[in-house]
Amino acid sequence: MSSNEFADLLVSGGSVGTSGIPEALAALESKIAAGTASVGVIGLGYVGLPLARLFARAGFSVTGFDIDPEKVASLNGGTSYIGTVSTDEVRGMLEEGRFTATANFQSLADMDAIVICVPTPLTRNREPDMSCIEVTTRQIAQVLRPGQLIVLESTTYPGTTREVVRPILEKTGLVSGTDFLLAFSPEREDPGNETFTTARIPKIVGGEDPNALRIACSMYGRALERVIPVSSLEAAEAVKLTENIFRCVNIALVNELKVVYDAMGIDVWEVIEGAKTKPFGYMPFYPGPGLGGHCIPIDPFYLTWKAREFDVATRFIELAGEINTRMPHYVVERLSQAMDSKLGRALRGSRILVLGVAYKKNIEDMRESPALKIIDLLQDRGCEVFYYDPHVPELPETRRLARMAGRPSVALEEIRDGAFDAAILCTDHDSFDLKAFLDGLPLIVDTRNAFGKAGIVDEKIVKG
């Protein structure tokens, strides 16, 4: 798309590329405009399920696809398994006949638009793992037909949609831009954020050609408040990485400042509160026990990997990753030093409680939570480790939690009864009873300044 065409699209709201559009694609555009299109969402997790809900609210007929039969059965039974989409909302979609879930990927042939929301993790060598995208795209290719729109939402490196997804789809003999349309629109979910829900977060969309861009924007425009087209697939892919790299680097900076200021006897939290009173030129970021979630600990390394193809070093990003990765080690060492100086005992053989295992407050999501690494480090140091988190009643089986899989959260009464030697507060859920923690625990390393924000000062509390 030329720069003039792109400018016209922004001004006209979608007048570019309408001439000479193939009949099947014109029919697709008409269905989307009328709200009669069928939309398939692949991957019913924290991104896919909220998106399916929005498309159903917009009047589309939505089918959710997932390889997990338990998720499919739960949704078809009217029960949600994530906090951002309520059970009542799932039941409402089912009752209105706007939604169904399935593990039968052959049904993708019936979809007018298909949105891919599958995981993009890192390998053990911290390189992009494209397996979920590749497998999913091959499943689509098996039933691909003329007149379909394929949109990738999974976070990835610039070039993935064009270099990975398109070739797999075109092995069918169908051609992108002529038979089917291809677009990329990065997810921007923020679980637990009640101010900026999915519908209110501006939606970036990049298309492989003018028709793909216009029709994808039309689809998202029926479901979200604001859609922002960009000039290419690669630009849209880069937007998501830039957003998360910005956060990763700034969090690394304050984490490093935390270590420096602690050595100087300065409270980093007080410094940040003072700095953020400046009405310009400063944006507050806050330290913590490490990075969690499906984006910030992973996405920056997609760009560093891709940059090597162009012989470009990304030292700044890699350094930020190193600093954030070391934070769980720093927190455990702070606990060890505090126990030695304040309690006169070692970590080994101690009963340590981890307060909060979700990666952020007020949600149940544990993906890449730094609490998991902290638990692992404490076990390696010879501790007996327990946890308390009302949002996570039982620890799932993960690679990091093999030794604690299935363990339930302790009861608040056990904390009040003094059953533990010390604790690390990793997640500052609003529901936490800080007074009960203070009364029942001899020592607490607070990585979120939860007690400080609540105005609680006590010798038992060590900022971590």
Side-chain angles (χ1 to χ4, degrees), residues 100-430:
T100 187
T102 183
N104 177 16
F105 283 72
Q106 292 299 308
S107 298
L108 288 167
D110 302 324
M111 302 296 106
D112 296 308
I114 299 171
V115 184
I116 304 170
C117 304
V118 297
T120 46
L122 294 171
T123 67
R124 289 183 178 273
N125 295 325
R126 303 192 75 77
E127 294 182 344
D129 181 352
M130 293 284 99
S131 59
C132 290
I133 288 179
E134 291 170 349
V135 168
T136 300
T137 306
R138 284 194 288 269
Q139 290 174 316
I140 296 171
Q142 290 177 6
V143 295
L144 186 67
R145 59 170 174 79
Q148 288 184 303
L149 167 65
I150 314 299
V151 185
L152 179 62
E153 284 217 4
S154 305
T155 303
T156 185
Y157 58 83
T160 299
T161 311
R162 193 183 305 276
E163 299 166 8
V164 177
V165 175
R166 176 178 170 172
I168 294 174
L169 296 177
E170 289 193 333
K171 282 183 179 180
T172 62
L174 299 179
V175 179
S176 176
T178 300
D179 300 303
F180 66 90
L181 299 174
L182 196 56
F184 181 86
S185 181
E187 61 88 6
R188 281 175 158 176
E189 283 294 313
D190 187 15
N193 190 329
E194 296 181 1
T195 301
F196 292 103
T197 56
T198 307
R200 296 194 60 199
I201 300 171
K203 193 70 169 146
I204 298 292
V205 180
E208 190 185 17
D209 55 61
N211 289 327
L213 179 59
R214 186 184 65 256
I215 294 174
C217 285
S218 176
M219 179 182 71
Y220 283 110
R222 291 187 64 89
L224 291 99
E225 292 182 6
R226 187 182 179 199
V227 176
I228 303 172
V230 295
S231 62
S232 66
L233 296 169
E234 290 77 10
E237 290 163 335
V239 165
K240 175 65 174 179
L241 292 185
T242 301
E243 294 168 357
N244 288 332
I245 290 169
F246 174 79
R247 294 173 65 195
C248 175
V249 168
N250 280 282
I251 291 170
L253 174 62
V254 293
N255 275 330
E256 187 166 65
L257 290 175
K258 173 178 69 175
V259 176
V260 173
Y261 289 152
D262 177 66
M264 298 177 178
I266 300 170
D267 184 347
V268 68
W269 297 92
E270 181 184 1
V271 172
I272 293 171
E273 288 303 303
K276 77 178 188 181
T277 62
K278 185 180 180 182
F280 56 89
Y282 180 80
M283 178 183 294
F285 285 81
Y286 299 95
L291 292 182
H294 66 296
C295 290
I296 306 179
I298 296 172
D299 297 352
F301 296 102
Y302 271 67
L303 187 62
T304 62
W305 176 84
K306 186 65 175 179
R308 291 198 289 271
E309 179 182 323
F310 298 88
D311 198 26
V312 176
T314 52
R315 291 175 293 175
F316 206 70
I317 299 170
E318 290 170 357
L319 177 59
E322 291 174 15
I323 293 170
N324 290 324
T325 299
R326 290 300 303 172
M327 281 303 104
H329 297 267
Y330 173 79
V331 169
V332 170
E333 191 55 37
R334 286 282 286 168
L335 175 64
S336 176
Q337 294 170 356
M339 288 184 66
D340 178 59
S341 62
K342 291 180 175 290
L343 305 180
R345 63 173 302 160
L347 271 179
R348 182 169 296 277
S350 297
R351 292 166 59 88
I352 305 300
L353 180 67
V354 173
L355 298 168
V357 292
Y359 84 83
K360 63 181 291 190
K361 66 191 302 182
N362 305 331
I363 65 172
E364 76 282 1
D365 193 349
M366 291 179 56
R367 289 174 296 174
E368 303 297 324
S369 172
L372 307 186
K373 181 63 177 178
I374 288 172
I375 288 172
D376 213 31
L377 292 172
L378 289 170
Q379 290 178 323
D380 288 344
R381 296 283 290 267
C383 300
E384 190 176 1
V385 187
F386 304 83
Y387 86 96
Y388 172 73
D389 193 323
H391 294 271
V392 185
E394 182 178 296
L395 289 179
E397 184 173 354
T398 68
R399 176 174 55 85
R400 283 184 178 173
L401 283 175
R403 290 178 282 183
M404 287 185 68
R407 179 171 294 187
S409 170
V410 303
L412 185 60
E413 287 70 25
E414 293 182 64
I415 304 175
R416 290 194 178 105
D417 292 341
F420 308 101
D421 299 309
I424 298 175
L425 192 151
C426 290
T427 315
D428 52 338
H429 294 306
D430 288 339

